[in-house]
Amino acid sequence: ASRLGADTVEIVDIDASNPTATIVGDLCAADTLPEASFDAIVLTQTLQFLPDPRRALRHLVTALRPGATMLVTVPALSRVADGTDRWRWTPLGLDELSSGLGCSTSVSGLGNNLACRAFLMGVAAEDLSRAVLEIEDPAFPVIVTARLEKPGPRDRSA
């Protein structure tokens, strides 16, 4: 975010021992994030660890300023990470999860059969050609992405 011009970047973590966390709290708790405070939220590979991902998305949308955007990625395919890893999504599933939050939403699945097999075998993306990685097959997403845009003008003076 800093490389893209963000003046301030907040890092949220439930783990208070994370030295880079600027906000410590649970995204499923309404009081973790201040209301209408963020111009953008980037939530990568996090929802699968939360007990109530819909509640977390609701709180995140509430934390967006009018006119702001949230970018979300979730796994469609992955090994189980630890004892808190709960969920996997298809594009339809993420679209339904993010519906009714008062945002316009765009969801897509990224990946293909070869990328799925390579991922499961532990092959790094750098070991595959860009041409292979750019092929999108809706039947074989590795990752699902969503862009949620909160209506309203962006007010940067707040």
Side-chain angles (χ1 to χ4, degrees):
S2 299
R3 285 186 285 148
L4 296 174
D7 294 328
T8 306
V9 176
E10 302 289 349
I11 298 172
V12 180
D13 199 329
I14 198 166
D15 183 359
S17 69
N18 179 351
T20 62
T22 56
I23 299 173
V24 175
D26 182 350
L27 293 176
C28 292
D31 61 350
T32 294
L33 300 174
E35 188 173 329
S37 297
F38 299 98
D39 292 317
I41 293 175
V42 179
L43 186 73
T44 56
Q45 304 303 97
T46 301
L47 288 178
Q48 70 269 22
F49 297 106
L50 303 179
D52 192 341
R54 176 114 172 125
R55 181 183 304 156
L57 283 178
R58 252 192 329 268
H59 297 156
L60 288 158
V61 167
T62 299
L64 288 172
R65 288 187 175 116
T69 300
M70 177 168 42
L71 304 175
V72 178
T73 67
V74 295
L77 172 75
S78 187
R79 68 175 177 80
V80 174
D82 64 22
T84 63
D85 193 342
R86 296 172 170 88
W87 313 102
R88 299 293 178 267
W89 284 272
T90 62
L92 177 61
L94 185 58
D95 189 49
E96 289 180 359
L97 183 71
S98 55
S99 69
L101 297 174
C103 294
S104 63
T105 305
S106 172
V107 176
S108 63
L110 305 172
N112 58 61
N113 188 306
L114 180 56
C116 285
R117 289 183 288 142
F119 177 77
L120 290 173
M121 292 172 41
V123 176
E126 294 79 16
D127 295 329
L128 299 173
S129 73
R130 186 174 185 93
V132 166
L133 293 173
E134 289 178 348
I135 297 169
E136 293 183 23
D137 182 344
F140 292 97
V142 176
I143 191 170
V144 181
T145 66
R147 178 184 179 118
L148 289 80
E149 295 182 24
K150 192 169 185 176
R154 202 175 282 208
D155 179 7
R156 296 202 177 260
S157 63

